[in-house]
Amino acid sequence: MNIDFNGYTKDNLIEYCKGIYNDKGIEGLLYSHIKKKGNLYMALYKNGITLKDLLSILGLTAEYESFKNTNKKWSYDKILEKCREVVNEYGYLPPAEWFRKNGYGSLVTAMYQREKSFADLRNDLNTDEGGSFVLSKNGIRWLSHPEASFSNFLYARGIAHDRGRKYPEGYSDFADARYGIYDVQFTDLHGNIVDVEIWGDKPNGHGEEHYAKKRETKEAFNAENNNNFLGVEYKDCFDEQRLTAILEPYIGIIEPYIFQKSTDKIIPSTHWSNADELLDYCREFIKQFENQEFPTEEWLRKRGKWKDREGEAYNTLSVYIKKWIGGVRKLREILGQESVSTKVWNKETAMHDLKEWYERYGSTPGSVVARYKSGKMDLTKEEYLKGASLNHAITKYVGTMSEAMNMLGVKIRKSPSKKHKR
């Protein structure tokens, strides 16, 4: 969604940047990230807000400095170097909790900040207790995490699939290469084998130009020779909604129904591999608390009444709990701690949840609830209650829904007035 920030007031801009922080963590407020948000940087500048000022206003200066120091200390090459030492000593790569307990918590933080998982580390280290692969739910060993996520999506919906087959013989002449192999193959609604390539921007962080040329060649070959070819961007493999839309022409829309664990019903299938390891980390994480209850998001981020608590902030952990599990409330449900979870509404939480709601439904909570009541839309009781509660919270803490959507950069279209019949 491309937003024009020219009409934003100073308060609107600060509120929007607060939303970026809630969604992406402190990394989202780096200069390089802000510059990608259309004319946001210039709008801040015109309102007399430098990035230094913005961090001060949001109370994030100390966290920003800590983030920079962590990233300076732990480049990805240094993370790999340290992990190789550990693997050489112990024979395997221990989980995240081991690193935290042994004084390398900042390594784990830096890893998550770089949007890496321990599955990625094992791939890049060429070790996973015996090989470079990511295991999906059906037991297939994949060469990358996006492939495993794609596999889990299909597995959850009962779609037959396997590792990709070799390209036809003509490919070697076309591409001036000995051979090519598709990433995945699956069977569509009509019984056809669909050949899938999952495109990555930076394979292992190297060879970008070579990879771009290789991709271009494969796309050209398949355009001429394969009517059942599908190319998927690697980022889409981690997004349930995008993958649903991409695969609808091939398999229709199928709700997940094959589960191995009780947690699989709660977590999106595209996040199963990452979530399993994160859940193990969270189960160890709560052992430091006397009541062994998972803390609130505010506690993790050192905000509100917890802003002066002792110890480090776990902002990146909070981001990944939201990204891979669906938030602290869902995590508590998985941990059997539903009774601990209570929602505290204020302007910030209302705007945060409204953004997530709109990204999911493409409409305001009031509109969705109204369609549900009229029987025009299926909705779970939990989502219906959440929508009604969110609608009330916006009115109480923000203002009108139009004002709130405006702050998100979305204009609500008014329905054309109906002429009365005489």
Side-chain angles (χ1 to χ4, degrees), residues 12-127:
N12 290 157
L13 291 168
I14 292 171
E15 194 67 33
Y16 184 85
C17 291
K18 190 184 293 183
I20 293 177
Y21 172 77
N22 288 336
D23 189 37
K24 300 291 185 183
I26 196 67
E27 188 176 8
L29 298 180
L30 292 175
Y31 173 78
S32 57
H33 288 205
I34 292 287
K35 286 289 286 184
K36 294 178 182 177
K37 296 285 185 181
N39 62 337
L40 176 58
Y41 180 79
M42 286 306 300
L44 288 165
Y45 182 78
K46 288 177 181 178
N47 278 272
I49 308 173
T50 64
L51 288 184
K52 184 178 180 181
D53 296 331
L54 178 65
L55 293 168
S56 178
I57 292 168
L58 296 177
L60 300 173
T61 302
E63 184 182 333
Y64 182 78
E65 290 301 319
S66 174
F67 173 87
K68 285 202 304 182
N69 291 335
T70 297
N71 274 268
K72 190 181 294 183
K73 178 180 178 182
W74 291 112
S75 66
Y76 192 56
D77 285 341
K78 287 184 177 178
I79 291 174
L80 289 174
E81 183 182 338
K82 183 62 194 177
C83 289
R84 282 193 189 94
E85 291 178 8
V86 174
V87 170
N88 289 336
E89 183 174 352
Y90 293 91
Y92 71 102
L93 185 67
E97 183 62 14
W98 182 93
F99 284 89
R100 193 177 75 82
K101 285 182 175 179
N102 286 273
Y104 294 102
S106 60
L107 179 149
V108 178
T109 299
M111 182 194 72
Y112 283 138
Q113 284 171 350
R114 296 176 189 285
E115 297 191 4
K116 295 285 187 178
S117 68
F118 269 70
D120 295 320
L121 284 178
R122 292 187 184 103
N123 277 342
D124 295 339
L125 290 168
N126 192 30
T127 174

Side-chain angles (χ1 to χ4, degrees), residues 165 167-168 182 193-196 220-230:
R165 55 187 174 182
Y167 271 65
Y182 293 103
I193 299 295
V194 180
D195 296 308
V196 181
F221 175 83
N222 283 291
E224 290 185 17
N225 300 281
N226 191 346
N227 293 327
N228 296 315
F229 171 73
L230 173 63

